[in-house]
Amino acid sequence: MSNDWPLYEVFIRSRSGLEHKHVGSLHAADAAMAVEHARDVYTRRQEGVSIWVMRSSDIVASDPTDADALFEPARDKVYRHPTFYAIPDEVKNL
Amino acid sequence: MYTQGLDSLGKECVHTAAGDTAALEARFQGKVDADEKIEPKDWMPDAYRQTLIRQISQHAHSEIVGMLPEGNWISRAPTLRRKAVLIAKVQDEGGHGMYLYSAAETLGIEREQMLEQLLAGTAKYSSIFNYPTLTWADIGAIGWLVDGAAIMNQIPICRCSYGPYARAMVRICKEESFHQRQGFEIMLALARGTPEQQAMAQDALNRWWWPSIMMFGPSDTESRHTAQSMRWKIKRFTNDELRQKFIDITAPQAQFLGLQIPDPDLAWDESTQHFKFGQIDWSEFQAVLKGHGPCNRERLEARRSAHENGRWVREAAAAHAEKQRARAQRAA
């Protein structure tokens, strides 16, 4: 009964050195089965070298309606970017 | 904790007899030699793990203590723009400390333990932060020289063999690039200013130059860990190589500013295509490292009182979370 199987989120490391990235989700009876299923569902074309799974119910997400309050304050802080500072062309390696 | 989550399937955590260790070590070194990354669940020699814990936690402590000398000038920045920039920079340093502490935690040490080591004075941090910031020009000199030296050190670590450290460093280097430019911009404004402002810039360079080039650590002949760290690809260049690179790119920048680097022996060497420079006073470096710098005591005192003064906040947050949990349980 697939309805009894909890949902797992799947993260794949596409190659050595990179971080795991979220690729999707699937149902499985337990974590070990989730890894096996993730192998079959998400890496049929050698998409990865490592798999992480976690119960979807363990994820706490920000509320989309809060997006402005959370992220808008960073919008006018252009001085956090290197291009904000005018350095004469003659000065190298900065 | 991160490492516990990773252990849940445990297939790779092979328990081995002593005889297998040599084979595991050979496989490990093979991966490092092939430029593959070592990840938290992979087998690694204990000395590699300990070296990384030491290096990453020291690096994290340096970011956190590094907030103090600059924080000193936030309330006295000359303009609102400079103040906003300085706050943003100090925020970044705090964030970088967090990235690094969590990278260290993937190796099995707990955050609490690292904090205890810092506050007890048993952990090291970069000796540069034990110097005082006496004038506004020091904020310029720190961005230009101290962050410049840090970037020179950190860029090769983006290719370090330990995955979580390398990835943290990519993020840090990306964010760090504005730090050096804002510092140079401050120096440029002063260098183009009144004679008093120029003198202030020169004074800051005089005081920060030698400590900055000491940031690369002891000379290769004295450095205990270099050879092993290079074999493990934790380090990609030696201390002296990085120091030379830094001096080579910084000397022309000083010249552009019209400032004099406080080293009478500094001169371009046509035959080597590098700048020659004078003797470094390593006794000063050793003294600061041992706790006898101008601000060692003040820095640790500031960290300790921040930790103590924040205790009630941590306790209140934990109590609140506990109350919410109990309430949810009663409701269920």
Side-chain angles (χ1 to χ4, degrees):
Chain A
M1 285 289 286
S2 72
N3 280 348
D4 297 330
W5 288 4
L7 192 64
Y8 285 86
E9 299 299 322
V10 179
F11 302 81
I12 303 281
R13 186 198 303 290
S14 58
R15 61 185 170 79
S16 170
L18 298 183
E19 58 275 76
H20 288 79
K21 269 207 177 136
H22 185 245
V23 292
S25 53
L26 46 74
H27 287 276
D30 59 23
M33 185 194 274
V35 170
E36 284 164 6
H37 284 184
R39 199 279 308 254
D40 294 340
V41 176
Y42 290 107
T43 66
R44 288 191 307 281
R45 288 169 186 76
Q46 291 190 297
E47 284 92 338
V49 294
S50 167
I51 298 168
W52 280 357
V53 297
M54 67 179 289
R55 287 282 293 266
S56 311
S57 56
D58 286 339
I59 289 181
V60 180
S62 64
D63 185 337
T65 58
D66 290 343
D68 262 3
L70 290 175
F71 309 117
E72 194 276 336
R75 201 173 297 157
D76 61 355
K77 296 183 175 52
V78 283
Y79 47 83
R80 284 178 175 156
H81 298 275
T83 44
F84 180 72
Y85 304 89
I87 303 291
D89 289 341
E90 306 93 289
V91 183
K92 302 293 175 216
N93 300 303
L94 266 178
Chain B
M1 221 180 83
Y2 190 27
T3 42
Q4 282 168 355
L6 291 170
D7 276 344
S8 60
L9 295 170
K11 276 186 213 148
E12 279 231 351
C13 301
V14 202
H15 296 283
T16 53
D20 297 339
T21 310
L24 286 169
E25 247 166 57
R27 214 179 104 193
F28 165 85
Q29 191 60 47
K31 270 172 99 168
V32 171
D33 292 343
D35 271 332
E36 274 179 54
K37 296 291 176 204
I38 306 301
E39 295 295 341
K41 270 184 67 183
D42 297 343
W43 186 91
M44 62 187 89
D46 197 50
Y48 176 83
R49 185 186 298 277
Q50 296 313 324
T51 299
L52 278 168
I53 288 178
R54 193 187 62 239
Q55 182 174 332
I56 302 173
S57 63
Q58 283 177 7
H59 197 159
H61 297 327
S62 302
E63 301 282 355
I64 297 302
V65 177
M67 297 166 80
L68 297 170
E70 292 184 289
N72 180 36
W73 279 91
I74 288 176
S75 62
R76 288 171 288 152
T79 65
L80 191 56
R81 175 187 184 273
R82 296 281 187 212
K83 183 191 286 227
V85 168
L86 188 55
I87 290 173
K89 179 173 190 295
V90 173
Q91 278 181 323
D92 273 1
E93 311 298 2
H96 296 173
M98 299 303 116
Y99 303 159
L100 288 162
Y101 281 128
S102 49
E105 279 177 302
T106 64
L107 292 155
I109 189 171
E110 303 221 10
R111 180 91 47 132
E112 197 62 28
Q113 221 178 321
M114 291 186 273
L115 280 181
E116 274 165 23
Q117 289 168 354
L118 173 65
L119 298 180
T122 55
K124 290 200 177 79
Y125 56 85
S126 186
S127 58
I128 193 87
F129 302 120
N130 290 316
Y131 291 86
T133 41
L134 303 177
T135 74
W136 172 252
D138 289 18
I139 300 306
I142 288 181
W144 173 38
L145 301 173
V146 177
D147 288 286
I151 291 168
M152 188 63 76
N153 251 327
Q154 288 172 343
I155 283 178
I157 309 178
C158 295
R159 296 187 295 126
C160 151
S161 61
Y162 188 58
Y165 191 24
R167 290 190 289 274
M169 207 50 61
V170 169
R171 211 187 166 98
I172 288 173
C173 283
K174 220 179 271 174
E175 296 181 354
E176 195 99 45
S177 53
F178 100 70
H179 297 182
Q180 197 190 12
R181 288 171 71 96
Q182 67 84 33
F184 192 84
E185 195 198 60
I186 292 173
M187 293 305 274
L188 191 58
L190 293 171
R192 287 174 174 171
T194 64
E196 287 84 355
Q197 287 172 321
Q198 289 167 1
M200 216 162 98
Q202 181 62 54
D203 166 62
L205 173 58
N206 291 347
R207 284 180 290 107
W208 290 94
W209 174 253
W210 289 103
S212 297
I213 66 170
M214 288 181 205
M215 279 177 72
F216 296 96
S219 162
D220 295 349
T221 50
E222 305 290 321
S223 175
R224 287 180 294 145
H225 307 297
T226 295
Q228 182 59 272
S229 286
M230 303 253 311
R231 205 154 33 240
W232 281 334
K233 294 192 182 167
I234 293 172
K235 239 181 151 136
R236 297 277 183 162
F237 298 97
T238 70
N239 296 351
D240 286 334
E241 284 169 346
L242 290 169
R243 186 170 9 250
Q244 184 66 59
K245 268 190 179 186
F246 175 73
I247 293 172
D248 285 348
I249 68 164
T250 310
Q253 294 167 354
Q255 197 176 19
F256 180 86
L257 291 170
L259 300 175
Q260 195 74 40
I261 288 179
D263 178 357
D265 296 325
L266 189 84
W268 177 250
D269 183 341
E270 199 55 51
S271 64
T272 58
Q273 294 289 300
H274 289 295
F275 278 91
K276 282 190 300 197
F277 55 96
Q279 281 288 322
I280 296 171
D281 179 5
W282 290 112
S283 63
E284 176 181 327
F285 179 75
Q286 293 300 341
V288 178
L289 217 57
K290 285 203 179 79
H292 308 303
C295 299
N296 295 57
R297 216 177 288 178
E298 189 186 327
R299 297 298 182 232
L300 270 193
E301 218 29 75
R303 284 317 310 155
R304 284 188 195 122
S305 71
H307 194 68
E308 270 317 303
N309 294 337
R311 182 179 298 282
W312 72 271
V313 180
R314 298 190 296 278
E315 286 173 359
H320 177 73
E322 187 47 49
K323 200 164 80 184
Q324 296 296 108
R325 238 191 320 272
R327 230 177 243 171
Q329 236 164 37
R330 268 201 307 277

